[in-house]
């Protein structure tokens, strides 16, 4: 059951061009968030990226489950204005509570969890495999559009 997730994580690492440097043994990785591309915007000193990815995991019955996860990433930078398409990112989740938060569609702020680079050997709730710096702050399951607040638009978990 978990070997399928291990295989998915390994394949995802190969497709992103990154070597799998974190411990991808089945008890460690509970799910993988993959975002194919993001859109970066710069306004004065603020730099941010937004996009939507998929969080994939294996449920207790051995079914592969996924949920759409909107993301927002940002930090302060040099002053300029612009919008550009950027590569995506990948985060491996190892904390069961964080896994549950993502599958429930609840917002996850990076400041409330421990995220480390994939090559870090210290324990973490999630490992930043590619496309995101540890210095950047981010929100997973950010609301996609202002109208989603009014309609209570929530992504739903799909298992196959």
């Amino acid at each position: 059951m978990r070997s399928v997730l291990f295989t998915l994580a390994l394949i995802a690492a190969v497709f992103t061009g990154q070597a799998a440097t974190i411990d991808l043994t089945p008890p460690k990785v509970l799910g993988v968030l993959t975002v194919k591309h993001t859109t970066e915007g710069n306004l004065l000193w603020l730099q941010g990226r937004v996009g939507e990815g998929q969080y994939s995991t294996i449920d207790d019955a051995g079914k592969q489950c996924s949920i759409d996860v909107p993301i927002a990433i940002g930090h302060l930078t040099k002053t300029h204005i612009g919008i550009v398409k950027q590569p995506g990112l990948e985060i491996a989740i190892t904390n069961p509570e964080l896994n549950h938060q993502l599958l429930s569609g609840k917002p996850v702020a990076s400041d409330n969890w421990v995220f480390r680079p994939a090559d870090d050997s210290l324990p973490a709730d999630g490992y930043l495999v590619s496309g995101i710096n540890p210095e950047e702050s981010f929100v997973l399951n950010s609301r996609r559009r202002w109208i989603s607040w009014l309609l209570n638009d929530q992504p739903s978990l799909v298992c196959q």
Side-chain angles (χ1 to χ4, degrees), residues 69-147:
V69 177
I71 59 141
I73 304 165
H75 66 276
L76 298 176
T77 186
K78 299 175 190 169
T79 177
H80 61 287
I81 297 174
I83 295 177
V84 212
K85 190 167 233 162
Q86 291 289 338
L89 59 101
E90 188 171 47
I91 302 173
I93 304 300
T94 56
N95 180 304
E97 188 178 338
L98 178 55
N99 180 58
H100 178 71
Q101 290 276 104
L102 288 169
L103 293 175
S104 300
K106 295 180 181 169
V108 171
S110 61
D111 295 342
N112 299 332
W113 302 89
V114 177
F115 290 93
R116 298 192 192 283
D119 58 358
D120 198 322
S121 61
L122 294 173
D125 300 315
Y127 291 92
L128 307 172
V129 178
S130 65
I132 189 165
N133 296 320
E135 300 83 35
E136 293 180 298
S137 296
F138 56 90
V139 177
L140 308 176
N141 279 326
S142 59
R143 293 292 182 134
R144 286 179 278 235
R145 295 179 187 86
W146 67 270
I147 195 73

Side-chain angles (χ1 to χ4, degrees), residues 40-62:
E40 179 180 297
N42 297 296
L43 180 61
L44 302 177
W45 294 276
L46 297 174
Q47 179 182 23
R49 291 181 282 157
V50 294
E52 185 167 289
Q54 268 203 334
Y55 181 64
S56 299
T57 187
I58 304 294
D59 69 5
D60 293 334

